[in-house]
Amino acid sequence: PTTYAPYKVKDMSLAEWGRKEIRLAEAEMPGLMSLRAEFGPSQPFKGARIAGCLHMTIQTAVLIETLQALGADVTWSSCNIFSTQDHAAAAIAAAGTAVYAWKGMTEEEFNWCIEQTLFFGEDRQPLNMILDDGGDLTNMVLNQFPEMAAGIRGVSEETTTGVLRLLERVKVGSLPFPAFNINDSVTKSKFDNKYGCKESAVDAIRRATDVMMAGKVAVVAGYGDVGKGTAASLRGAGARVIVTEIDPICALQAAMDSYEVKKMGDAIPRADIVITTTGNCDIIREEHFRALKDKAIVCNIGHFDDEIDMAWLNKNYGHTKDTVKPQVDLYNIDGKEVIILAEGRLVNLGCATGHPSFVMSASFTNQVLAQLELWKDADKYENQVYTLPKHLDEKVARLHLAKIGVELDELTPKQADYIKVPVEGPFKSDLYRY
Ligand code: NAI
């Protein structure tokens, strides 16, 4: 980059409000706060220049300030054009963080923001660690600035879709440093993806539309971790939920959780609400759009905006697009109106504020532990994708028990020997599925 911008956010007058919400979030993020207490004094991240690309929310602000409290220099961008909470960005900018993020940016600005995070301070020192969500930052570095790779110790990747991209790189031999897969820590995907979406899916549809949920037919595409949480969210709000799947195991799970499981083509004419959770492309396409009821709500909670074929919709019916309010658009398909949320991008961060702090604390505690491991011991690892060892996964869970009053029993030595685990854990083999 030619010119240096110390930060770029929407409105610095929001900083005080952001700071107040960060304080409230800290109280809900015991994992991160206990890492500050445990590692703050020894400053293990001294010399680390961590570039992060992850939804710039209040919860992420607590993550960023935890990395800083452990001694890191941090730059940040958001991994989605709609997911920034402007008061969160303003608050950390006011505290001196190099953050480049605002809600409602263009694709061009999105790339500009990520690019700013590659270089630190006025003397433009290059990043030496990556913290990513979805892989856009990693891809920019490796595709556009490959010469930077040699100075980077590794990457920790937050989500299913980004992990898929990393595994693809391992396969073709284009991953030049080790990577940690945060998503597949049990305390990430079985909590954030599931219980997080259980709270944030309906929250987003309500904030966007105020539609009555009870009695409505909602179609949830995909019954993985995000699908399980999303279907539970809609059921909890009183909707009648139909699930679609391609995997017989997940389809059977959905059926035995007492959801109807149908083909998309058959379910779609009944849908009042459709939400895609697959991390796959082309889930809602022309034939489905044409089969929808008038005023059906269509949205996506997976990472990228190609689950719903927005390209087809915009090409053929873009001229009918009528914006009700930001991130809520009506399209008229030959006389029938369809309500599209967040332009097909992940709805819980586009139309609401993402997951609550408590569950993000578990995800982000995994992130900090992985960053610590990479910064300290990257040489121990090959250029492969790793998950954190189970004892750290269990540690993340343990750090979140007291806050909600959970009391654990302890194994006696006889019991531990009987089930062949150490008294202090890990308590399960790596094959255990939770
Ligand atoms: P997953 O792999 O556990 O679940 C995806 C499911 O979709 C699988 O069961 C798969 O069989 C199914 N599927 C694939 N193609 C399908 C098709 N054509 N029709 C019906 N079902 C199909 O993945 P996970 O963890 O649930 O993540 C899904 C997406 O959500 C990813 O893009 C991930 O990055 C994103 N994500 C979003 C979050 C948010 O807050 N919005 C939080 C966590 C993940």
Side-chain angles (χ1 to χ4, degrees), residues 132 156-159 163 180-189 362-364 366-371 386-388:
D132 214 351
S156 58
E157 167 56 54
E158 176 84 358
T159 199
V163 169
F180 268 91
N181 163 357
I182 303 305
N183 186 68
D184 288 295
S185 286
V186 179
T187 49
K188 200 282 186 182
S189 47
S363 301
F364 290 164
N366 280 290
Q367 279 283 8
V368 176
L369 292 172
Q371 288 280 322
Y386 296 90
T387 49
L388 283 173

Side-chain angles (χ1 to χ4, degrees), residues 326-397:
Q327 285 88 56
V328 181
D329 297 303
L330 280 173
Y331 285 76
N332 192 313
I333 303 179
D334 303 334
K336 269 186 322 190
E337 285 184 321
V338 176
I339 303 169
I340 301 279
L341 306 187
E343 297 182 7
R345 296 164 202 269
L346 74 190
V347 71
N348 57 334
L349 284 135
C351 293
T353 53
H355 299 341
S357 303
F358 188 73
V359 85
M360 293 316 296
S361 177
S363 301
F364 290 164
T365 303
N366 280 290
Q367 279 283 8
V368 176
L369 292 172
Q371 288 280 322
L372 279 172
E373 184 62 15
L374 284 169
W375 180 244
K376 186 167 55 98
D377 273 328
D379 301 342
K380 281 197 335 211
Y381 296 90
E382 310 282 319
N383 295 342
Q384 299 280 343
V385 181
Y386 296 90
T387 49
L388 283 173
K390 193 165 290 287
H391 74 94
L392 290 180
D393 217 346
E394 289 180 358
K395 172 176 174 165
V396 173

Side-chain angles (χ1 to χ4, degrees), residues 158-177:
E158 176 84 358
T159 199
T160 316
T161 288
V163 169
L164 205 63
R165 286 173 151 193
L166 288 172
L167 292 172
E168 217 27 61
R169 282 193 180 274
V170 171
K171 219 158 107 194
V172 301
S174 71
L175 184 69
F177 36 65

